[in-house]
């Protein structure tokens, strides 16, 4: 049942649920926004009647509803223990845990690659970018610094090591998303402006990659090697992958650079080490894909005919931005 | 004071509901029932909490509306699962 007016309705409600959640005066309004988010996202992903889509929506529903019910219970406990400041540590840990479970962050990440494997590319884009906004902003309202630094370390390590043995492109991007969540949670603790900057650049990069994979209808890594892509489209793919990994001349490096700058100025040396090493592992498996696809395994099969039906100008423009935006930004600020 | 022992009831109910949610069950309906049990415990907690603040129960009604929406969403996913798989056993999940 591929009904575009249904999707428009639920997308509209999804958009407004995030706005309700982040602009509410009380924690109860935040909970209401999270509930409406769940209510409107499930019809978007359970659109077809095959087994995979039902299982995906079921797993998503179970984890998200548990997390939001726990969140509400912690809100009520916080409300009932108004003057008892000894409990603040436990309550903030529980509230942060439930928000981290909503996001798919590290100790509670096991549902995330499974669900990403079962969704189409556009639904994945919504799950990886828009669904992360409201838990992260709610996290910034009441976070526990020590707990979150431990979670960040787990995020980085699991995101980098989990992607090493993947052949499915969706799961690869899911683990990369978990890794980038570590960076984003740390940038929340620095300042909310920096989080917004990182999030916008991250969602732009993910949008470029997902739209490229969506146009090619590619879901697995071996599909990168055996199709008849134009040279410039493959170059585009190379640039987007390297930008997502955070290599310097591309746009993806800039938010990571600012975060590392903050880390080193404030003497977080051990955390810097972990950020760097996990980034290296991620770039390793991106380069493994790209070098195989671009240099060693560059086959142009004659019987595979890829028709580019849609206009590629948006993707070309976005990869131009990806290459040149770091250099152009220095022109603005100097 | 004896009146403050009621907090333990809420925490116990909530904890038991969570325990059944995460346990290995044969049917999906048990999981959805445990979710409703957690909602019931929060409803009770909310009721007692709001009784201490001058009897304004509007928040409780809003909470009830959203929880019922969530419960019905769970049931609709259960129906969709039965339509495609044929049952609601957890053993039939092998795709992901």
């Amino acid at each position: 049942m591929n009904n575009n007016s249904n999707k428009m309705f639920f997308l509209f409600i999804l958009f407004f649920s995030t706005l309700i959640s982040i602009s509410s005066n009380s924690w109860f309004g935040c909970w209401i926004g999270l509930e409406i988010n769940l209510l409107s996202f499930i019809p978007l992903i359970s659109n077809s009647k095959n087994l995979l889509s039902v299982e995906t929506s079921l797993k998503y529903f179970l984890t998200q509803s548990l997390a939001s019910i726990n969140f509400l219970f912690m809100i009520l406990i916080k409300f009932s223990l108004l003057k008892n400041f000894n409990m603040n540590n436990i309550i903030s840990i529980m509230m942060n845990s439930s928000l981290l479970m909503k996001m798919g962050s590290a100790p509670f990440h096991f549902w995330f690659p499974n669900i990403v494997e079962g969704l189409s590319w556009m639904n994945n884009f919504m799950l990886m970018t828009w669904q992360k906004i409201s838990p992260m902003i709610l996290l910034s309202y009441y976070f526990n610094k020590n707990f979150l630094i431990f979670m960040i370390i787990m995020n980085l390590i699991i995101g980098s090591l989990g992607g090493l043995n993947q052949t499915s492109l969706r799961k690869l991007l899911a683990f990369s998303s978990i890794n980038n969540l570590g960076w984003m949670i740390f940038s929340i603790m620095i300042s909310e402006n920096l989080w917004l900057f990182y999030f916008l650049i991250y969602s732009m990069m993910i949008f470029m990659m997902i739209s490229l994979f969506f146009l090619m209808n590619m879901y697995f890594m071996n599909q990168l090697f055996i199709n008849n892509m134009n040279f410039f489209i493959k170059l585009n793919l190379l640039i987007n992958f390297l930008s997502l990994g955070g290599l310097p001349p591309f746009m993806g490096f800039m938010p990571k650079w600012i975060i590392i700058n903050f880390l080193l100025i404030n003497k977080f040396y051990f955390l810097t080490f972990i950020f760097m090493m996990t980034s290296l592992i991620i770039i390793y498996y991106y380069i493994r894909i790209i070098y195989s696809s671009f240099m060693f395994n560059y086959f142009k099969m004659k019987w595979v005919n890829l028709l580019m039906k849609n206009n590629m100008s948006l993707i070309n423009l976005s990869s131009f931005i990806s290459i040149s935006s770091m250099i152009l930004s220095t022109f603005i600020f100097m | 004071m004896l009146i403050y022992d009621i907090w333990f009831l809420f925490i116990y109910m909530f904890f038991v509901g969570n325990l059944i949610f995460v346990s290995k069950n044969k049917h999906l309906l048990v999981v959805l029932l445990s979710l409703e049990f957690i909602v019931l415990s929060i409803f009770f907690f909310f009721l007692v909490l709001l009784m201490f603040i001058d009897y304004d129960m509007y928040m409780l009604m809003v909470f009830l509306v959203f929880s019922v929406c969530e419960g019905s969403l769970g049931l609709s996913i259960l129906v969709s699962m039965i339509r495609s798989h044929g049952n609601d056993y957890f053993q039939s999940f092998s795709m992901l």
Side-chain angles (χ1 to χ4, degrees), chain B residues 15-77:
Chain B
F15 183 71
V16 165
N18 265 338
L19 196 67
I20 298 183
F21 190 95
V22 303
S23 311
K24 176 181 171 190
N25 302 310
K26 202 162 102 176
H27 291 275
L28 177 67
L29 195 56
V30 176
V31 175
L32 294 179
L33 275 175
S34 71
L35 204 62
E36 291 304 312
F37 187 65
I38 300 174
V39 163
L40 191 71
S41 82
I42 293 183
F43 185 81
F44 193 17
F45 187 14
F46 218 157
L47 180 72
V48 171
L49 206 62
L50 288 176
M51 272 200 318
F52 287 142
I53 330 165
D54 209 7
Y55 249 121
D56 271 344
M57 298 288 180
Y58 304 117
M59 277 302 196
L60 189 65
M61 281 298 115
V62 172
F63 161 72
L64 192 63
V65 164
F66 278 105
S67 308
V68 165
C69 280
E70 182 186 351
S72 65
L73 180 71
L75 278 176
S76 66
I77 291 182

Side-chain angles (χ1 to χ4, degrees), chain B residues 73-91:
Chain B
L73 180 71
L75 278 176
S76 66
I77 291 182
L78 178 78
V79 166
S80 159
M81 188 185 157
I82 288 185
R83 275 192 181 181
S84 59
H85 287 264
N87 47 19
D88 65 339
Y89 296 143
F90 267 111
Q91 268 87 10

Side-chain angles (χ1 to χ4, degrees), chain A residues 26 28 31-32 35-36 38-39 42-43 46 49-52 54-59 61-66 68-70 72-74 76-77 79-80 94 114-115 117-118 171, chain B residues 7 10-11 14 18 21-22 28 31-32 35 38-39 41-42 45-46 49-50 53 59 62-63 66-67 69-71 73-74 77-78 80-81 83-85 90 92-96:
Chain A
S26 76
F28 195 64
W31 176 76
I32 286 179
E35 284 288 307
I36 301 177
L38 176 65
L39 283 176
I42 296 278
S46 70
K49 287 203 177 83
N50 57 353
L51 298 177
L52 207 64
V54 167
E55 190 179 337
T56 301
S57 62
L58 181 71
K59 281 186 180 174
F61 171 74
L62 286 180
T63 54
Q64 299 274 314
S65 64
L66 183 72
S68 72
I69 282 281
N70 280 355
L72 180 67
F73 190 71
M74 288 307 138
L76 290 180
I77 291 227
F79 177 52
S80 71
M94 291 295 295
N114 288 339
I115 286 183
E117 181 72 16
K171 280 195 178 164
Chain B
W7 303 121
F10 306 137
I11 297 178
F14 175 75
N18 265 338
F21 190 95
V22 303
L28 177 67
V31 175
L32 294 179
L35 204 62
I38 300 174
V39 163
S41 82
I42 293 183
F45 187 14
F46 218 157
L49 206 62
L50 288 176
I53 330 165
M59 277 302 196
V62 172
F63 161 72
F66 278 105
S67 308
C69 280
E70 182 186 351
L73 180 71
I77 291 182
L78 178 78
S80 159
M81 188 185 157
R83 275 192 181 181
S84 59
H85 287 264
F90 267 111
S92 50
F93 285 170
S94 62
M95 314 277 301
L96 297 173

